[in-house]
Amino acid sequence: TVERAEYDYFKYHPMSEITGWMAQIQKENPDLVSIMDYGKTYEKRTISLLKIGVNTGEKKKAIWMDCGIHAREWIAPAFCQYFVRQILDAYKKDPKMQEMMKNMDFYVTPVLNMDGYIFSWANDSTRLWRKNRSPGPAGCDCYGTDLNRNFDANWGTIGVSFNCCDQTYCGKDAMSEPEAQAVTFFVGTRKEDFLCFLTIHSYGQLLLLPYGHPNFTAPNYDELMKVGLAAADAIKKVHGMHYTVGTSPDVLYPNSGSSRDWSRMQGIPYTFTFELRDNGTYGFELPEDQIKPACEEAYSGALEIITYAHNK
Ligand code: ING
Ligand code: ZN
Protein backbone atom coordinates (compact mmCIF):
# COMPACT_ATOMS: atom_id res chain seq x y z
CA THR A 1 0.00 0.00 0.00
CA VAL A 2 1.09 3.54 -0.71
CA GLU A 3 1.71 5.66 2.37
CA ARG A 4 -0.34 8.83 2.06
CA ALA A 5 1.26 12.05 3.33
CA GLU A 6 -0.67 13.31 6.34
CA TYR A 7 -2.90 16.32 5.66
CA ASP A 8 -1.42 19.49 7.10
CA TYR A 9 -4.20 21.28 8.99
CA PHE A 10 -1.91 24.17 9.80
CA LYS A 11 -1.33 25.37 6.27
CA TYR A 12 -3.77 27.07 3.91
CA HIS A 13 -4.96 24.83 1.09
CA PRO A 14 -6.23 25.61 -2.39
CA MET A 15 -9.75 24.48 -3.29
CA SER A 16 -8.61 21.33 -5.11
CA GLU A 17 -6.83 20.08 -1.99
CA ILE A 18 -9.83 20.85 0.22
CA THR A 19 -12.07 18.88 -2.14
CA GLY A 20 -9.58 16.01 -1.98
CA TRP A 21 -9.51 16.26 1.79
CA MET A 22 -13.32 15.95 1.95
CA ALA A 23 -13.19 12.73 -0.06
CA GLN A 24 -10.41 11.39 2.14
CA ILE A 25 -12.30 12.16 5.37
CA GLN A 26 -15.38 10.40 4.01
CA LYS A 27 -13.32 7.37 2.97
CA GLU A 28 -11.61 7.11 6.34
CA ASN A 29 -14.88 7.43 8.31
CA PRO A 30 -17.51 5.70 6.19
CA ASP A 31 -19.85 5.01 9.13
CA LEU A 32 -19.91 8.60 10.35
CA VAL A 33 -19.33 10.82 7.33
CA SER A 34 -21.11 11.36 4.06
CA ILE A 35 -20.71 14.02 1.39
CA MET A 36 -23.79 15.90 0.23
CA ASP A 37 -23.86 18.14 -2.84
CA TYR A 38 -26.41 20.88 -2.39
CA GLY A 39 -25.92 23.54 -5.02
CA LYS A 40 -23.84 25.12 -7.75
CA THR A 41 -21.76 28.28 -7.67
CA TYR A 42 -22.11 30.95 -10.35
CA GLU A 43 -19.22 29.29 -12.23
CA LYS A 44 -21.03 25.92 -11.94
CA ARG A 45 -18.85 24.33 -9.31
CA THR A 46 -20.63 21.85 -7.03
CA ILE A 47 -21.09 23.07 -3.45
CA SER A 48 -20.65 20.20 -1.01
CA LEU A 49 -20.81 19.62 2.72
CA LEU A 50 -19.77 16.89 5.09
CA LYS A 51 -22.59 15.34 7.10
CA ILE A 52 -21.15 13.88 10.28
CA GLY A 53 -23.04 11.83 12.83
CA VAL A 54 -24.12 8.36 13.91
CA ASN A 55 -26.70 6.79 11.65
CA THR A 56 -29.30 5.90 14.28
CA GLY A 57 -32.25 5.57 11.95
CA GLU A 58 -34.04 8.11 14.15
CA LYS A 59 -34.86 11.69 13.26
CA LYS A 60 -31.99 13.83 14.55
CA LYS A 61 -31.28 17.41 15.47
CA ALA A 62 -28.61 19.20 13.49
CA ILE A 63 -25.79 21.73 13.62
CA TRP A 64 -24.92 23.96 10.66
CA MET A 65 -21.45 25.35 10.08
CA ASP A 66 -20.26 27.13 6.96
CA CYS A 67 -16.85 28.59 6.25
CA GLY A 68 -15.50 30.63 3.38
CA ILE A 69 -18.60 32.65 2.47
CA HIS A 70 -16.04 35.45 2.01
CA ALA A 71 -13.15 34.47 -0.24
CA ARG A 72 -10.21 36.20 1.43
CA GLU A 73 -10.92 34.96 4.96
CA TRP A 74 -8.66 31.94 4.59
CA ILE A 75 -8.58 31.06 8.28
CA ALA A 76 -12.29 30.16 8.04
CA PRO A 77 -11.96 27.14 5.69
CA ALA A 78 -8.91 26.09 7.72
CA PHE A 79 -11.12 26.17 10.82
CA CYS A 80 -13.90 24.09 9.28
CA GLN A 81 -11.36 21.41 8.41
CA TYR A 82 -9.86 21.50 11.90
CA PHE A 83 -13.34 21.35 13.43
CA VAL A 84 -14.20 18.22 11.44
CA ARG A 85 -10.95 16.54 12.44
CA GLN A 86 -11.49 17.41 16.12
CA ILE A 87 -15.06 16.13 16.38
CA LEU A 88 -14.10 12.89 14.62
CA ASP A 89 -11.14 12.50 16.97
CA ALA A 90 -13.24 13.34 20.04
CA TYR A 91 -15.81 10.75 18.97
CA LYS A 92 -13.22 8.00 19.45
CA LYS A 93 -12.70 8.72 23.16
CA ASP A 94 -15.10 11.30 24.53
CA PRO A 95 -18.49 9.96 25.73
CA LYS A 96 -20.03 13.43 25.45
CA MET A 97 -19.12 13.69 21.76
CA GLN A 98 -20.43 10.15 21.24
CA GLU A 99 -23.72 11.22 22.80
CA MET A 100 -23.88 14.40 20.71
CA MET A 101 -23.15 12.54 17.47
CA LYS A 102 -25.96 10.12 18.27
CA ASN A 103 -28.43 12.92 18.82
CA MET A 104 -27.25 15.39 16.19
CA ASP A 105 -25.78 15.54 12.70
CA PHE A 106 -23.12 18.12 11.93
CA TYR A 107 -23.42 19.70 8.48
CA VAL A 108 -20.12 21.39 7.65
CA THR A 109 -19.41 23.33 4.44
CA PRO A 110 -15.64 24.00 4.31
CA VAL A 111 -15.85 26.52 1.46
CA LEU A 112 -19.20 28.04 0.50
CA ASN A 113 -17.92 30.72 -1.90
CA MET A 114 -15.75 28.38 -3.95
CA ASP A 115 -15.45 30.67 -7.00
CA GLY A 116 -14.28 33.56 -4.86
CA TYR A 117 -11.90 31.34 -2.86
CA ILE A 118 -10.26 30.07 -6.04
CA PHE A 119 -10.00 33.64 -7.33
CA SER A 120 -8.31 34.72 -4.08
CA TRP A 121 -5.69 32.02 -4.71
CA ALA A 122 -5.05 33.10 -8.32
CA ASN A 123 -2.41 35.78 -7.73
CA ASP A 124 -1.31 38.51 -5.32
CA SER A 125 -3.62 41.10 -6.84
CA THR A 126 -6.73 38.98 -6.20
CA ARG A 127 -5.75 37.70 -2.74
CA LEU A 128 -8.16 40.11 -0.97
CA TRP A 129 -11.25 39.24 -3.02
CA ARG A 130 -14.36 39.04 -0.77
CA LYS A 131 -17.46 38.52 -2.93
CA ASN A 132 -18.60 35.74 -5.23
CA ARG A 133 -17.83 35.92 -8.97
CA SER A 134 -21.13 36.69 -10.65
CA PRO A 135 -21.07 39.63 -13.06
CA GLY A 136 -22.83 42.87 -12.11
CA PRO A 137 -26.11 44.01 -13.68
CA ALA A 138 -26.27 45.59 -17.15
CA GLY A 139 -24.30 48.82 -17.20
CA CYS A 140 -22.01 47.86 -14.30
CA ASP A 141 -18.65 46.38 -15.21
CA CYS A 142 -17.67 45.01 -11.80
CA TYR A 143 -17.93 41.44 -10.55
CA GLY A 144 -19.23 39.90 -7.39
CA THR A 145 -22.04 40.08 -4.87
CA ASP A 146 -21.42 40.07 -1.13
CA LEU A 147 -23.09 36.77 -0.23
CA ASN A 148 -23.46 37.89 3.38
CA ARG A 149 -25.71 40.75 2.23
CA ASN A 150 -27.74 38.66 -0.23
CA PHE A 151 -29.93 36.59 2.12
CA ASP A 152 -33.63 37.24 2.55
CA ALA A 153 -33.37 39.03 5.90
CA ASN A 154 -34.43 42.67 5.62
CA TRP A 155 -32.50 42.53 2.36
CA GLY A 156 -31.12 45.81 1.04
CA THR A 157 -32.24 47.96 3.99
CA ILE A 158 -29.08 48.86 5.90
CA GLY A 159 -25.30 48.38 5.79
CA VAL A 160 -25.23 47.42 2.12
CA SER A 161 -24.33 48.99 -1.21
CA PHE A 162 -26.32 48.95 -4.43
CA ASN A 163 -23.18 49.80 -6.41
CA CYS A 164 -21.96 46.53 -7.92
CA CYS A 165 -18.34 47.68 -7.61
CA ASP A 166 -18.52 47.88 -3.81
CA GLN A 167 -17.42 45.21 -1.33
CA THR A 168 -20.89 45.06 0.26
CA TYR A 169 -22.94 44.99 -2.95
CA CYS A 170 -26.08 43.13 -1.93
CA GLY A 171 -27.02 41.80 -5.37
CA LYS A 172 -29.91 42.38 -7.76
CA ASP A 173 -32.48 40.93 -5.38
CA ALA A 174 -32.66 38.98 -2.16
CA MET A 175 -31.29 35.51 -2.90
CA SER A 176 -30.18 36.43 -6.41
CA GLU A 177 -26.96 34.43 -5.99
CA PRO A 178 -26.78 30.66 -6.45
CA GLU A 179 -24.57 30.20 -3.37
CA ALA A 180 -27.13 31.98 -1.13
CA GLN A 181 -29.92 29.99 -2.79
CA ALA A 182 -28.11 26.74 -2.02
CA VAL A 183 -27.90 27.47 1.73
CA THR A 184 -31.45 28.82 1.82
CA PHE A 185 -32.84 25.72 0.20
CA PHE A 186 -30.78 23.19 2.17
CA VAL A 187 -31.32 24.76 5.58
CA GLY A 188 -34.82 26.02 4.82
CA THR A 189 -36.13 22.55 4.00
CA ARG A 190 -34.75 21.18 7.32
CA LYS A 191 -35.14 24.23 9.52
CA GLU A 192 -36.93 22.42 12.36
CA ASP A 193 -33.91 20.13 12.74
CA PHE A 194 -31.27 22.81 13.19
CA LEU A 195 -30.36 23.93 16.70
CA CYS A 196 -27.32 25.97 15.67
CA PHE A 197 -26.29 27.97 12.63
CA LEU A 198 -22.63 28.96 12.89
CA THR A 199 -21.08 30.95 10.06
CA ILE A 200 -17.34 31.47 10.22
CA HIS A 201 -15.53 34.64 9.11
CA SER A 202 -12.44 36.65 9.90
CA TYR A 203 -11.22 38.94 11.23
CA GLY A 204 -11.91 40.89 14.43
CA GLN A 205 -12.27 38.32 17.26
CA LEU A 206 -16.01 38.70 17.63
CA LEU A 207 -19.00 36.49 18.35
CA LEU A 208 -21.91 38.22 16.66
CA LEU A 209 -25.52 37.37 17.36
CA PRO A 210 -28.73 38.41 15.62
CA TYR A 211 -29.89 40.81 14.49
CA GLY A 212 -27.70 42.94 12.25
CA HIS A 213 -30.63 45.28 11.75
CA PRO A 214 -30.86 47.70 14.71
CA ASN A 215 -34.69 47.78 14.65
CA PHE A 216 -35.06 44.10 15.52
CA THR A 217 -34.13 42.12 18.60
CA ALA A 218 -33.90 38.34 18.71
CA PRO A 219 -36.58 36.84 21.02
CA ASN A 220 -33.82 34.96 22.87
CA TYR A 221 -31.33 37.84 22.86
CA ASP A 222 -30.55 37.46 26.59
CA GLU A 223 -29.89 33.77 26.22
CA LEU A 224 -27.76 34.31 23.08
CA MET A 225 -25.72 36.90 24.99
CA LYS A 226 -25.27 34.46 27.89
CA VAL A 227 -24.18 31.61 25.59
CA GLY A 228 -21.94 33.93 23.58
CA LEU A 229 -20.22 35.18 26.72
CA ALA A 230 -19.71 31.60 27.90
CA ALA A 231 -18.12 30.81 24.52
CA ALA A 232 -15.86 33.87 24.78
CA ASP A 233 -14.78 32.68 28.25
CA ALA A 234 -13.99 29.25 26.82
CA ILE A 235 -11.97 30.90 24.04
CA LYS A 236 -10.01 33.01 26.49
CA LYS A 237 -9.03 29.94 28.51
CA VAL A 238 -7.20 28.42 25.52
CA HIS A 239 -4.67 31.13 24.56
CA GLY A 240 -5.87 34.19 26.47
CA MET A 241 -7.42 35.85 23.44
CA HIS A 242 -10.28 38.29 23.93
CA TYR A 243 -13.44 37.93 21.83
CA THR A 244 -16.15 40.59 21.96
CA VAL A 245 -19.79 39.39 22.06
CA GLY A 246 -22.85 41.25 20.79
CA THR A 247 -24.99 42.17 17.81
CA SER A 248 -23.21 43.78 14.85
CA PRO A 249 -24.87 47.21 15.39
CA ASP A 250 -23.84 47.14 19.05
CA VAL A 251 -20.29 45.96 18.39
CA LEU A 252 -19.44 47.60 15.02
CA TYR A 253 -22.08 48.67 12.52
CA PRO A 254 -25.48 47.43 11.32
CA ASN A 255 -26.07 45.26 8.28
CA SER A 256 -28.87 43.41 6.52
CA GLY A 257 -29.12 40.28 4.39
CA SER A 258 -26.73 38.14 6.45
CA SER A 259 -27.10 34.37 6.58
CA ARG A 260 -27.08 34.51 10.38
CA ASP A 261 -30.06 36.89 10.51
CA TRP A 262 -31.86 34.81 7.91
CA SER A 263 -31.34 31.58 9.84
CA ARG A 264 -32.56 33.15 13.09
CA MET A 265 -35.65 34.45 11.27
CA GLN A 266 -36.27 30.86 10.14
CA GLY A 267 -36.59 29.89 13.80
CA ILE A 268 -33.15 28.37 14.36
CA PRO A 269 -32.48 29.33 17.97
CA TYR A 270 -28.67 29.57 18.28
CA THR A 271 -27.19 31.51 15.39
CA PHE A 272 -23.75 33.14 15.56
CA THR A 273 -21.19 34.73 13.29
CA PHE A 274 -17.64 33.93 14.36
CA GLU A 275 -15.01 36.50 13.43
CA LEU A 276 -11.75 34.64 14.04
CA ARG A 277 -8.25 36.10 14.55
CA ASP A 278 -6.74 38.57 14.44
CA ASN A 279 -7.51 42.15 15.43
CA GLY A 280 -6.00 43.72 12.32
CA THR A 281 -2.25 43.22 12.61
CA TYR A 282 -2.33 40.78 9.69
CA GLY A 283 -6.06 40.89 9.02
CA PHE A 284 -7.17 38.51 6.28
CA GLU A 285 -3.56 37.42 5.73
CA LEU A 286 -3.22 35.66 9.07
CA PRO A 287 0.19 33.92 9.11
CA GLU A 288 0.15 30.14 8.98
CA ASP A 289 1.80 29.89 12.40
CA GLN A 290 -1.43 31.28 13.89
CA ILE A 291 -3.73 28.73 12.25
CA LYS A 292 -3.26 26.24 15.09
CA PRO A 293 -3.94 28.57 18.04
CA ALA A 294 -6.76 30.32 16.17
CA CYS A 295 -8.45 26.98 15.48
CA GLU A 296 -7.88 25.63 18.97
CA GLU A 297 -9.55 28.58 20.67
CA ALA A 298 -12.40 28.82 18.16
CA TYR A 299 -13.07 25.09 18.55
CA SER A 300 -13.49 25.58 22.25
CA GLY A 301 -15.94 28.44 21.67
CA ALA A 302 -17.94 26.56 19.06
CA LEU A 303 -18.12 23.48 21.27
CA GLU A 304 -19.46 25.58 24.16
CA ILE A 305 -22.35 26.81 21.99
CA ILE A 306 -23.04 23.41 20.44
CA THR A 307 -22.98 21.62 23.81
CA TYR A 308 -25.36 24.19 25.28
CA ALA A 309 -27.76 23.79 22.35
CA HIS A 310 -27.58 20.00 22.62
CA ASN A 311 -28.23 19.89 26.37
CA LYS A 312 -31.05 22.44 26.36
N1 ING B 1 -17.74 40.46 8.70
C1 ING B 1 -19.11 40.14 8.46
C2 ING B 1 -19.65 40.86 7.26
O1 ING B 1 -20.47 40.26 6.59
C3 ING B 1 -20.19 41.68 10.17
C4 ING B 1 -20.00 40.29 9.65
C5 ING B 1 -21.26 42.43 9.75
C6 ING B 1 -19.31 42.20 11.08
C7 ING B 1 -21.45 43.71 10.23
C8 ING B 1 -19.50 43.47 11.59
C9 ING B 1 -20.57 44.23 11.17
O2 ING B 1 -19.26 42.00 6.98
C10 ING B 1 -16.76 40.12 7.83
N2 ING B 1 -15.48 40.27 8.27
O3 ING B 1 -16.99 39.66 6.76
ZN1 ZN C 1 -16.55 37.77 6.21
Side-chain angles (χ1 to χ4, degrees), residues 18-92:
I18 298 174
T19 302
W21 168 84
M22 289 177 78
Q24 187 187 334
I25 287 288
Q26 195 284 320
K27 222 175 131 193
E28 288 170 359
N29 303 275
D31 296 341
L32 288 177
V33 179
S34 55
I35 296 179
M36 295 176 80
D37 300 336
Y38 67 99
K40 295 271 187 210
T41 66
Y42 176 77
E43 292 172 348
K44 303 290 177 233
R45 294 185 175 89
T46 300
I47 305 171
S48 309
L49 58 72
L50 294 173
K51 178 185 178 189
I52 304 165
V54 179
N55 203 334
T56 59
E58 309 272 313
K59 194 153 170 50
K60 294 172 72 179
K61 288 294 178 185
I63 303 293
W64 176 268
M65 181 182 289
D66 66 81
C67 294
I69 191 172
H70 288 142
R72 63 193 175 188
E73 301 166 7
W74 286 9
I75 185 62
F79 175 67
C80 263
Q81 294 169 81
Y82 177 89
F83 178 83
V84 165
R85 183 186 79 163
Q86 289 306 112
I87 60 173
L88 287 171
D89 198 42
Y91 180 78
K92 292 179 195 153

